[in-house]
Amino acid sequence: GKLDVATDVFGVGKIIEYIEKNSEKKLPSIYGKIKGKCLMEKQAHRWQSIDEILVKLNKRSNVWPKWVIAICSICVVGFISWQLIEKNTQISHTVIDVNNIKYSNFNSRDYTCHAIGQGPIKLANVYIRESVDYDGEEYQVTAIANAAFKSLSHLKSVHIPHGITQIGKSAFLKCDSILVINIPNSVTEVGENAFYSCRGVRELNLSHNLKEIPTSGFVSTQISRLTIPEGVENIRMDAFAHSANIKNVKIPSSVKHIERGVFYNCVGLE
């Protein structure tokens, strides 16, 4: 059950127990005494509140070093913080299917979730929703998970809605039948290999809020014209490699760094 951070010291003992198990060095024996008092089987034999722990420590401050008291205080603060995080950030990994698209990572703090892949039916056209209903609430879809639609050779089109901020690594890798990629301006991050080897792509429209073009992000497309949006600062390695049909590229003044191989084997460049 939920712990009451004002009265239940059991969590403090568990924190000390965790530190003992994961510390490379053996902790001073005083830790065991503190932990033992917090984790006693009979609740009546435990310290009854966090305040009592602090009072006991303060009374013994002439015997116990100040650093012991400080560390115990940190444990108490950590315990309280942990409980607050648990209370305010709860992510459900339940998977729901809406029109054959799967969604998960439901965050009840900010009511967001992720699109994580396709359902059992092979769809030629994928439509990712702006929001979905889960457990009686509406959740905004803000990300496409890593490898969500990887290697779906039957996929011809994908609708990425405004509101998506992140496209994960290899999200559409080897979806070689997609013809057009439209990345809305809400997207601020595209992962490595996101559209790697999408060999059918003939049109690419990038978000105007990207700061970088990812490593191998758009390898082996069929696009003939490429416009890098103003605001992009870095173009990572092999970003558009092996796109032999590219003839014209516009690179804005905001670009500060272009890594090697960005246009490797783009033999059509004028």
Side-chain angles (χ1 to χ4, degrees):
K2 290 290 184 181
L3 298 175
D4 183 348
V5 298
T7 60
D8 198 325
V9 299
F10 183 80
V12 176
K14 296 302 287 185
I15 290 173
I16 297 174
E17 184 177 67
Y18 178 85
I19 293 173
E20 282 184 329
K21 289 180 179 179
N22 291 276
S23 176
E24 293 181 358
K25 296 182 179 180
K26 186 176 180 180
L27 299 179
S29 60
I30 191 65
Y31 275 95
K33 294 179 180 179
I34 297 170
K35 180 189 71 174
K37 191 68 174 177
C38 291
L39 299 180
M40 294 192 75
E41 185 174 351
K42 292 186 178 180
Q43 187 168 354
H45 295 165
R46 300 176 196 163
W47 278 319
Q48 296 302 300
S49 70
I50 291 173
D51 286 339
E52 185 178 352
I53 295 176
L54 295 176
V55 168
K56 295 287 186 181
L57 292 178
N58 286 332
K59 282 184 178 179
R60 300 185 184 187
S61 61
N62 59 333
V63 178
W64 291 0
K66 291 182 178 179
W67 65 267
V68 173
I69 298 173
I71 290 177
C72 289
S73 299
I74 290 170
C75 287
V76 172
V77 172
F79 170 62
I80 294 172
S81 299
W82 168 52
Q83 286 294 298
L84 290 174
I85 291 171
E86 284 291 308
K87 180 179 179 181
N88 293 314
T89 305
Q90 297 181 0
I91 297 178
S92 170
H93 296 290
T94 299
V95 176
I96 67 170
D97 187 313
V98 180
N99 296 332
N100 206 53
I101 304 298
K102 296 186 292 185
Y103 302 88
S104 189
N105 296 345
F106 294 94
N107 189 326
S108 60
R109 183 179 183 184
D110 58 8
Y111 293 97
T112 60
C113 66
H114 299 170
I116 65 167
Q118 190 177 59
I121 303 172
K122 292 184 177 181
L123 298 177
N125 305 300
V126 162
Y127 187 94
I128 299 171
R129 296 170 63 96
E130 291 186 12
S131 64
V132 294
D133 292 330
Y134 169 70
D135 199 24
E137 301 287 350
E138 183 180 18
Y139 286 75
Q140 299 298 311
V141 183
T142 58
I144 300 172
N146 293 344
F149 300 94
K150 176 182 176 181
S151 300
L152 299 184
S153 58
H154 57 274
L155 188 59
K156 294 183 178 180
S157 72
V158 58
H159 169 72
I160 302 173
H162 185 82
I164 294 288
T165 60
Q166 181 182 20
I167 299 175
K169 296 178 181 179
S170 304
F172 296 93
L173 180 144
K174 294 186 178 180
C175 292
D176 49 20
S177 296
I178 293 178
L179 299 176
V180 178
I181 297 173
N182 289 316
I183 300 178
N185 290 335
S186 57
V187 173
T188 58
E189 181 181 350
V190 177
E192 295 178 3
N193 303 308
F195 296 90
Y196 179 95
S197 195
C198 290
R199 298 178 182 275
V201 171
R202 286 168 169 73
E203 182 180 340
L204 171 62
N205 299 302
L206 296 169
S207 166
H208 287 195
N209 288 304
L210 292 175
K211 291 297 182 183
E212 73 173 40
I213 307 299
T215 298
S216 301
F218 305 92
V219 171
S220 297
T221 68
Q222 298 295 321
I223 61 174
S224 59
R225 296 179 179 274
L226 173 64
T227 299
I228 306 295
E230 184 69 41
V232 170
E233 297 178 357
N234 300 301
I235 306 178
R236 299 301 183 190
M237 186 172 61
D238 296 335
F240 302 98
H242 303 290
S243 296
N245 287 354
I246 294 180
K247 295 180 179 180
N248 182 273
V249 177
K250 293 182 180 179
I251 300 176
S253 59
S254 60
V255 173
K256 300 175 182 178
H257 186 62
I258 299 177
E259 294 185 355
R260 66 179 177 84
V262 166
F263 297 106
Y264 175 74
N265 203 30
C266 293
V267 295
L269 274 175
E270 297 175 349

